[in-house]
Amino acid sequence: MLRWSVHLEGGPRRVNHAAVAVGHKVYSFGGYCSGEDYETLRQIDVHIFNTVSLRWLKLPPVRMAGHERAYEVPYMRYGHTAVLLDDSIYLWGGRNDTEGACDVLYAFDVSTHRWFTPKVSGAVPGARDGHSACVLRKAMYIFGGYEQLADCFSNDIHKLDTNTMVWSLINARGTPASWRDFHSATIIGTKMFVFGGRADRYGPFHSDNEIYCNKIKVFDTEANCWMSTPPTQPSPDGRRSHSAFSYKGELYVFGGYNARLDQHFNDLWKFNPESFSWKKVEPIGKGPCPRRRQCCCIVGDRIILFGGTSPCPEQGMGDEFNLMDHSDLYILDFSPNLKTLCKIAVLHYSLEQSGLPHDLRWELAAMTTNSNISRPIFSSHG
């Protein structure tokens, strides 16, 4: 029973950030918020969400001790990626309006909350944003993105072996996924499933002839080969800046944006790699409004989704430039516990007897179900 079980307001207002789940906590790094000062260079901010207490904690800035220490802490950025390997979160890429894009690998120790810059060698990927990063065993794979130096979309695959800290450019066989940015790449088994993103109709350079592919591309990490894939019907609309995650061997995609359709999404789709087929999923409960550039992490049987940006309600659901940034958080629960289900059932029965309109009953149910966590959700405690 898939259900939107929790809705919180008042968290960090962040767009195009990166997040990683570590145990029962979610670590969120950077991003931006419309109206904030991004001309002044400053440290990346780190917010931690505790999925048990349902509270946010913002870490204090790192105390600097000279130029070398400052270099070890990433500057505030957006369009970057973060992945977990052992006890470290590896943050790579992204850009800032002052400094541009970055190719430095940063590591964040989750036990000490300290930053460091691992020594790497090999073919370091060019600085970029809008790429994807995923992990298989001890390797991090970087795909696509928008390269700053070449000023074009990428469809290269770079691999970082964290045993040796050596970067390599993979010489992949087969027909690669097209040049793109703000797509998703998700590991299931030993294969990387690439979906969506923004590309250009005429090649790697951005000519304002954007296309949004809705085909799944599969890269086999063992054979270093892009696989040929059959067409799928039905399929979700092509999109960028969506969320993707795997659960029990299947791929899920939520939200995103398609400029050609002038549309933001809040639909949820499930892809089965065995049958190579899509299915639209309709969870119970009131979920997020249409949005893009949100973060999404899986913690056990729950999906933690927060932030992102949407069109202002008075501007309609289109218009690239009239956007509002979100500070909300939703939990999508694959296995709601009995206590939660009983509470919701009793509440809905009471509201059924009230005679209120259906939409208003759902609104009140969502608010009341989470009434014990609707007070301010920032905490000064770890």
Side-chain angles (χ1 to χ4, degrees):
M1 182 191 299
L2 195 55
R3 176 186 290 275
W4 293 105
S5 60
V6 172
H7 172 203
L8 301 175
E9 294 285 352
R13 194 178 303 276
R14 285 290 173 260
V15 179
N16 217 354
H17 41 313
V20 175
V22 184
H24 68 281
K25 295 181 178 179
V26 173
Y27 289 74
S28 177
F29 300 91
Y32 69 85
C33 177
S34 303
E36 289 188 358
D37 173 24
Y38 292 96
E39 296 300 320
T40 304
L41 197 62
R42 64 183 190 276
Q43 294 179 23
I44 198 166
D45 58 18
V46 183
H47 292 88
I48 304 174
F49 180 70
N50 188 316
T51 63
V52 177
S53 66
L54 302 181
R55 293 291 184 272
W56 281 102
L57 165 72
K58 183 177 182 180
L59 294 185
V62 176
R63 291 185 179 181
M64 296 300 188
H67 176 72
E68 284 300 316
R69 186 73 181 112
Y71 178 76
E72 290 184 353
V73 182
Y75 55 77
M76 194 67 172
R77 64 190 62 201
Y78 55 88
H80 49 295
T81 53
V83 299
L84 177 67
L85 275 157
D86 296 326
D87 294 325
S88 294
I89 295 172
Y90 289 93
L91 186 147
W92 192 84
R95 65 178 299 111
N96 179 287
D97 294 343
T98 302
E99 293 292 307
C102 182
D103 66 355
V104 177
L105 178 70
Y106 294 94
F108 180 82
D109 189 312
V110 295
S111 58
T112 64
H113 291 174
R114 292 180 65 86
W115 289 100
F116 60 99
T117 50
K119 185 177 180 180
V120 298
S121 60
V124 177
R128 69 192 67 195
D129 72 314
H131 55 286
S132 59
C134 48
V135 169
L136 179 60
R137 293 187 281 271
K138 295 290 186 178
M140 176 173 74
Y141 292 85
I142 297 290
F143 172 72
Y146 199 87
E147 291 194 59
Q148 177 170 282
L149 189 60
D151 195 21
C152 68
F153 298 109
S154 170
N155 69 344
D156 291 336
I157 302 175
H158 291 82
K159 176 182 176 181
L160 176 68
D161 184 335
T162 61
N163 289 316
T164 61
M165 298 310 293
V166 174
W167 282 103
S168 59
L169 173 62
I170 293 180
N171 183 19
R173 296 179 291 109
T175 304
S178 59
W179 306 273
R180 64 186 72 192
D181 68 357
F182 294 108
H183 53 284
S184 61
T186 310
I187 293 287
I188 300 177
T190 59
K191 296 180 176 64
M192 180 174 75
F193 291 78
V194 175
F195 175 76
R198 174 183 63 172
D200 192 277
R201 187 177 304 279
Y202 301 111
F205 297 98
H206 195 195
S207 67
D208 292 326
N209 287 279
E210 293 182 355
I211 56 173
Y212 294 84
C213 180
N214 68 344
K215 296 180 175 64
I216 286 277
K217 292 292 291 184
V218 183
F219 177 74
D220 187 326
T221 64
E222 293 185 326
N224 281 346
C225 177
W226 287 99
M227 302 172 63
S228 58
T229 54
T232 56
Q233 289 294 337
S235 298
D237 290 312
R239 63 195 65 196
R240 64 174 168 97
S241 306
H242 52 283
S243 295
F245 60 90
S246 65
Y247 180 78
K248 293 188 175 180
E250 294 182 302
L251 171 68
Y252 290 79
V253 169
F254 171 84
Y257 173 69
N258 185 311
R260 294 191 70 84
L261 298 176
D262 196 19
Q263 185 175 356
H264 286 74
F265 301 99
N266 66 341
D267 50 355
L268 181 67
W269 289 78
K270 177 175 69 173
F271 177 78
N272 186 301
E274 298 298 323
S275 61
F276 218 84
S277 61
W278 286 99
K279 180 182 179 181
K280 191 173 183 180
V281 182
E282 302 283 358
I284 299 171
K286 186 175 176 61
C289 67
R291 65 185 63 200
R292 58 173 153 152
R293 295 182 172 177
Q294 64 279 349
C295 268
C296 179
C297 294
I298 185 164
V299 178
D301 291 323
R302 297 186 296 170
I303 307 304
I304 315 299
L305 188 149
F306 60 99
T309 191
S310 299
C312 295
E314 61 270 21
Q315 300 293 335
M317 292 314 295
D319 199 328
E320 173 94 45
F321 302 105
N322 291 289
L323 300 170
M324 60 179 183
D325 302 337
H326 296 293
S327 61
D328 56 3
L329 180 146
Y330 288 82
I331 295 181
L332 179 64
D333 204 329
F334 279 86
S335 300
N337 61 41
L338 185 59
K339 180 180 178 181
T340 299
L341 292 176
C342 289
K343 186 175 181 181
I344 292 172
V346 170
L347 175 64
H348 276 258
Y349 176 78
S350 300
L351 291 172
E352 287 279 354
Q353 307 307 306
S354 68
L356 293 170
H358 178 77
D359 289 348
L360 183 55
R361 291 203 304 268
W362 266 112
E363 243 354 279
L364 288 171
M367 291 168 60
T368 311
T369 303
N370 302 312
S371 61
N372 62 323
I373 50 176
S374 61
R375 55 187 180 276
I377 57 172
F378 268 98
S379 171
S380 59
H381 305 291

